[in-house]
Amino acid sequence: MSLTASLADHAEAHELQDQPELPSPNLEQLLTSSATIRHYVHLCPLNVWMAQGSYRCKTQGSHASYWVYAEYRDRRGASRYASFRFASAQQALDFVRFRLAAISLPGISSEQTHRRPLG
């Protein structure tokens, strides 16, 4: 990596850190549309939404579940998605508010996610 590229990356990261905090999404918003949260590690926006459904287990039958979906871009600019399943709406909401913004997402590119906004 060249010194110029390294300085540009550092300047972009500093600029992104100075952006205002996004408000925490609420349950109704996540179930009816989507919300944008900022990823703390990659310093880029994530488009997030939830869905309610059921999960079938061979040994214990069907269980109500909530899924959280996060959309972001990979290094080619293509949309990527990560999904997470929870037993309750409150667990899913807590995950979005307190954990999702700090976990590693496979193939995420903060540069491409900024260049091509989601949602």
Side-chain angles (χ1 to χ4, degrees):
M1 176 182 288
S2 71
L3 178 59
T4 305
S6 178
L7 290 174
D9 289 345
H10 179 69
E12 181 182 355
H14 181 68
E15 179 182 306
L16 296 175
Q17 287 175 342
D18 292 339
Q19 293 182 357
E21 284 293 314
L22 297 170
S24 290
N26 63 45
L27 184 60
E28 182 180 342
Q29 178 185 16
L30 291 172
L31 283 169
T32 59
S33 60
S34 65
T36 301
I37 65 169
R38 185 158 323 281
H39 198 281
Y40 300 133
V41 176
H42 297 286
L43 303 174
C44 64
L46 300 175
N47 190 39
V48 181
W49 67 95
M50 285 175 51
Q52 181 180 7
S54 61
Y55 174 78
R56 183 171 295 208
C57 179
K58 287 182 181 182
T59 60
Q60 297 178 348
S62 183
H63 301 281
S65 296
Y66 292 83
W67 280 266
V68 170
Y69 297 92
E71 180 183 16
Y72 53 93
R73 303 264 183 213
D74 65 16
R75 64 183 174 82
R76 296 175 307 164
S79 288
R80 297 280 295 263
Y81 303 90
S83 65
F84 308 89
R85 184 172 48 92
F86 299 91
S88 75
Q90 188 61 52
Q91 288 174 338
L93 183 59
D94 289 346
F95 175 76
V96 170
R97 288 183 171 169
F98 306 116
R99 299 230 24 240
L100 180 57
I103 65 171
S104 180
L105 297 170
I108 191 170
S109 167
S110 58
E111 178 185 355
Q112 287 296 328
T113 303
H114 276 288
R115 282 188 189 174
R116 301 182 62 206
L118 302 160

